[in-house]
Amino acid sequence: MTIQKYTVQHLEQIIDVPMDKIEEALEVPPDRSLGDLAFPCFILAKKLKTSPVQIARTLAGRLKDSKSFERVEAVGPYLNLFLPKQQLTEEVITEILRKGKSYGDETVNKGTITIDLSSPNIAKPFSMGHLRSTVIGNSIANIASKKGYQPIRINHLGDWGTQFGKLMVAYNKWGDEAAVKKSPIKELNTLYVKYHEEVKGNPDLDDEGRQWFKKLEDGDEEARKLWTWFREESLKEFQKIYDLLDVQFDSMHGEAFYNDKMKPVVEELNERNLLKESEGAMVVDLSEFELPPALIQKKDGASLYATRDLAAAQYRKATYQFARSLYVVGHEQSLHFEQVKKVLLKMGYTWADDMEHIPFGMILQDGKKMSTRKGKTVLLEEVLNQTIQQAKKSIESKNPTLEKKEKIAEMVGVGAVIFNDLKQSRLNSVEFDIESMLRFEGETGPYVQYTYARACTLLAKGDWDVDKNSGTNDVEEPYLWEIIMTLEKFPGTVERALHEYEPSILSRFLIELSRYFNQYYGKVRILGGTEEEQMARLNIVKAVTIVLEEGLRLLGIKAPEKM
RNA sequence: GGCCCCGUAGCUCAGUGGAUAGAGCGUCGGUUUCCUAAACCGUGCGUCGCAGGUUCGAUUCCUGCCGGGGCCGCCA
């Protein structure tokens, strides 16, 4: 039983308010000495036509002899409760030790949830922006899975569009096969940047680019060959990053996959009389929703972004029968997803209401959007290499005898980058700052990992054993109750992170738990004393490692037992 | 011009319809014969952007304004 539930259950007998209302009102007092939990009596004031101060006093009087609370005090309008810490501590720890990793799991099946994430553009470097989508989406997938959904991770690759025509022009004019083979993304990106420089003085290039893309769409052999080659080389490079991040996808269907699936969509729109000609293009009018029209077809008949996403949405519904469908894409595309959803609703697909855009803020450089075309991109691979190097340096100076240094440096370096991203609220724009990722102190991934490693060392040295996990904790030890309260919040925190699609809620929780544990560690000698005492303390340590490891896993971060 | 996001400590950012608004970084100082100092402890005089409104109570909800960013037809 959770601490909140315990309290609610015992309050319910004397307060005539529905249990969920009581639970909602309960709060942690600003100062520990005031109590463990408090019930503000304002919500009763109107109903009872009495001052909240008086109500608190009355309730305190009625609870005076209750065995459920150690002590009850009325302070102003607050009813302050002192809980039976001994009993609750035991209950919380026992539950976590019994459930292990599955602590906080939801067992009811909530159906399939598709998650559109990562989606880098072929032939372009994997940028920091795509990192955000990848780690946020992956974490939401992990969290959804813990809470009873079957996540389907879809990498909607940007592998189609006019830019490939442009790239082919550039490659044919200035490209070098050997150079591309050697370093595909870098070379192709250089070509792409060069193209955008050259086009300024030679606008005819754009026509050539469009022609090449048209050839590609028409199945021209040479164009097709180049496209396949660019795509394969790009995927190989991306795979290195996905391996480092340890992210796997259930589907790699990119935009090109929907090539033959767009025509039926356009036809369907036509049949339903939803298409309208406007300035030569075909659009769906959305003025009833106070939105600008959705562009479905260019005047030359070619498809557009929205067309592809309509086809993709239908395909996903048909293939996966999703209960929910998420799109982890930058917030600058909010309008687009709103339009797609509304078009589907106009088509009569009520399941479009289960689709949700999960936007996130941009990565800025000098306060501005990064531009691929100008070559102003920060490459994720380079960033990861730097942080891994930094981790290696730290290990050399702090723990030179550590085994498997390379492996652990990778866990720490990659963890630092992922955590640095996931601790931000999704929607905040962030200034790209390599320094903040290279710092392993304070509110960082390595801080949480370090806390975990320290705790693991204690378990090893103290010879913790499941079968010996008896012993009674001294609940008056500093920070122990804070640890218990925090551990107990874990299932609810994961739930909230899913409900808000906000991994940062979980990141901050892990920082809080780590801090309390480090404070406890600093004040209380864990190994030593009687065997009973040591085992009781190690049970706390074990519970902390379970929650830290599982929490990090949900964020997509590895937890090293030593570092 | 319309719509969306953001505005809290020197910096980066949490937070909440309620009791004295918090963390990290940075500054200065301290802690190791003892479990990993990637840690811990101490050190903060904040108009919670501004102005109204709702409320017993607003930094939190609503409206307007100001400032920053984004999106708004043939890119994705």
Side-chain angles (χ1 to χ4, degrees):
Chain A
M1 184 178 1
T2 69
I3 293 172
Q4 298 253 324
K5 287 252 158 55
Y6 175 92
T7 311
V8 172
Q9 220 167 67
H10 291 92
L11 280 182
E12 196 236 357
Q13 298 158 12
I14 60 137
I15 302 177
D16 183 25
V17 170
M19 287 176 80
D20 57 325
K21 288 271 186 239
I22 299 180
E23 186 162 2
E24 217 181 283
L26 281 179
E27 55 187 61
V28 180
D31 188 328
R32 226 199 117 143
S33 64
L34 287 166
D36 302 315
L37 280 178
F39 178 77
C41 299
F42 305 99
I43 55 167
L44 293 170
K46 210 170 248 174
K47 198 169 162 187
L48 301 175
K49 297 203 169 70
T50 321
S51 83
V53 179
Q54 185 56 46
I55 295 167
R57 224 175 284 158
T58 312
L59 291 175
R62 243 184 277 170
L63 281 166
K64 210 174 157 195
D65 300 318
S66 164
K67 294 238 172 7
S68 317
F69 302 104
E70 276 177 5
R71 198 148 51 91
V72 177
E73 278 174 7
V75 180
Y78 293 90
L79 181 67
N80 290 339
L81 308 162
F82 293 79
L83 302 171
K85 295 198 188 94
Q86 196 73 55
Q87 179 196 337
L88 290 167
T89 297
E90 255 169 61
E91 280 179 23
V92 169
I93 294 301
T94 307
E95 189 190 353
I96 296 172
L97 295 185
R98 187 169 54 80
K99 291 191 175 163
K101 286 181 204 300
S102 64
Y103 174 58
D105 279 12
E106 178 74 65
T107 45
V108 290
N109 185 348
K110 294 187 189 149
T112 303
I113 185 166
T114 62
I115 301 170
D116 185 309
L117 75 160
S118 199
S119 313
N121 294 319
I122 298 298
K124 285 191 197 173
F126 200 102
S127 70
M128 293 303 294
H130 291 116
L131 171 75
R132 294 215 79 186
S133 171
T134 309
V135 298
I136 292 170
N138 186 49
S139 176
I140 289 173
N142 291 337
I143 293 168
S145 173
K146 190 173 180 70
K147 290 299 178 185
Y149 285 100
Q150 276 77 57
I152 305 288
R153 293 170 174 81
I154 301 173
N155 194 346
H156 190 71
L157 294 165
D159 59 2
W160 207 247
T162 316
Q163 77 263 28
F164 290 101
K166 295 176 181 178
L167 192 58
M168 286 169 197
V169 171
Y171 177 75
N172 285 336
K173 283 200 188 321
W174 314 294
D176 170 32
E177 189 175 337
V180 174
K181 280 216 168 108
K182 193 167 165 239
S183 180
I185 301 272
K186 212 173 159 188
E187 194 56 31
L188 292 176
N189 190 50
T190 306
L191 288 172
Y192 193 65
V193 172
K194 184 172 170 70
Y195 175 92
H196 280 282
E197 276 163 14
E198 295 283 333
V199 81
K200 284 179 207 155
N202 184 7
D204 293 345
L205 282 177
D206 269 345
D207 286 334
E208 272 186 68
R210 273 190 287 269
Q211 278 163 26
W212 270 96
F213 179 57
K214 184 87 173 92
K215 279 164 103 174
L216 178 62
E217 284 209 302
D218 294 343
D220 174 86
E221 202 179 319
E222 193 189 347
R224 195 81 196 171
K225 220 173 106 187
L226 278 175
W227 176 79
T228 308
W229 183 43
F230 292 162
R231 188 176 189 274
E232 276 172 8
E233 292 298 335
S234 301
L235 283 181
K236 269 189 235 163
E237 296 259 313
F238 292 161
Q239 195 53 46
K240 286 189 214 160
I241 286 164
Y242 293 135
D243 286 345
L244 270 179
L245 296 175
D246 196 19
V247 175
Q248 287 92 33
F249 299 97
D250 301 288
S251 163
M252 296 284 278
H253 290 326
E255 295 181 85
F257 177 77
Y258 298 99
N259 261 339
D260 57 350
K261 297 172 181 60
M262 288 184 285
K263 211 174 152 197
V265 174
V266 176
E267 278 165 7
E268 190 183 341
L269 283 166
N270 223 345
E271 277 163 27
R272 291 177 191 269
N273 264 324
L274 295 173
L275 279 187
K276 210 172 91 178
E277 207 212 294
S278 167
E279 297 169 33
M282 298 306 275
V283 304
V284 176
D285 180 73
L286 296 173
S287 52
E288 61 197 283
F289 302 105
E290 294 183 354
L291 290 175
L295 269 137
I296 302 296
Q297 205 172 62
K298 298 190 211 176
K299 56 186 164 204
D300 66 3
S303 65
L304 282 155
Y305 187 35
T307 331
R308 282 190 272 277
D309 266 355
L310 287 170
Q314 291 202 13
Y315 176 83
R316 287 173 192 180
K317 184 63 188 175
T319 307
Y320 302 111
Q321 295 299 323
F322 58 73
R324 299 200 67 76
S325 179
L326 308 182
Y327 292 81
V328 184
V329 181
H331 92 280
E332 63 271 26
Q333 293 188 32
S334 294
L335 177 59
H336 162 75
F337 283 107
E338 221 179 316
Q339 288 176 317
V340 168
K341 201 166 156 169
K342 291 293 191 276
V343 171
L344 286 166
L345 286 174
K346 282 191 84 162
M347 292 169 86
Y349 298 120
T350 51
W351 48 259
D353 281 325
D354 302 323
M355 291 167 55
E356 197 167 347
H357 177 211
I358 313 297
F360 55 84
M362 300 194 285
I363 309 239
L364 307 174
Q365 222 168 10
D366 305 322
K368 287 187 192 118
K369 198 176 168 178
M370 291 180 179
S371 166
T372 329
R373 281 184 306 232
K374 291 173 192 152
K376 281 182 70 178
T377 332
V378 180
L379 273 70
L380 177 59
E381 203 178 346
E382 282 169 18
V383 171
L384 288 172
N385 285 338
Q386 274 192 62
T387 57
I388 293 169
Q389 280 310 316
Q390 175 77 11
K392 216 173 284 176
K393 251 168 58 190
S394 287
I395 292 170
E396 287 304 341
S397 70
K398 294 171 202 295
N399 198 354
T401 60
L402 186 68
E403 287 170 30
K404 296 186 203 151
K405 284 181 199 169
E406 298 284 323
K407 189 75 210 146
I408 289 165
E410 192 180 300
M411 287 162 103
V412 174
V414 173
V417 172
I418 298 178
F419 197 93
N420 181 67
D421 200 300
L422 293 184
K423 79 173 178 199
Q424 312 270 351
S425 294
R426 248 184 24 232
L427 278 164
N428 286 356
S429 300
V430 287
E431 177 73 20
F432 174 77
D433 176 19
I434 186 78
E435 297 304 321
S436 74
M437 293 182 218
L438 291 172
R439 213 165 24 223
F440 294 170
E441 283 138 39
E443 297 174 334
T444 65
Y447 173 77
V448 179
Q449 289 172 318
Y450 176 74
T451 310
Y452 174 78
R454 256 181 161 187
C456 284
T457 306
L458 290 173
L459 296 176
K461 289 196 173 166
D463 210 14
W464 183 87
D465 191 323
V466 214
D467 304 322
K468 291 194 288 179
N469 67 359
S470 57
T472 307
N473 285 105
D474 173 6
V475 293
E476 294 310 318
E477 280 176 349
Y479 299 108
L480 194 136
W481 180 244
E482 280 81 357
I483 292 175
I484 297 298
M485 293 270 279
T486 308
L487 287 172
E488 193 265 337
K489 276 195 313 196
F490 180 63
T493 301
V494 177
E495 183 62 52
R496 209 156 64 84
L498 175 63
H499 186 252
E500 296 178 30
Y501 302 116
E502 185 59 275
S504 68
I505 290 174
L506 183 53
S507 318
R508 284 184 214 114
F509 166 88
L510 293 177
I511 286 171
E512 190 187 335
L513 178 58
S514 299
R515 193 167 47 235
Y516 284 138
F517 181 76
N518 282 322
Q519 288 172 322
Y520 179 69
Y521 184 99
K523 280 263 197 271
V524 179
R525 176 83 200 169
I526 291 158
L527 299 178
T530 67
E531 193 171 330
E532 275 275 295
E533 286 166 349
Q534 173 170 316
M535 206 42 79
R537 285 191 295 260
L538 284 177
N539 284 340
I540 304 291
V541 176
K542 180 64 187 176
V544 169
T545 62
I546 289 170
V547 171
L548 285 182
E549 185 181 11
E550 180 64 359
L552 285 171
R553 185 189 71 78
L554 293 175
L555 295 179
I557 298 173
K558 302 257 172 38
E561 287 179 20
K562 287 182 182 158
M563 66 185 269

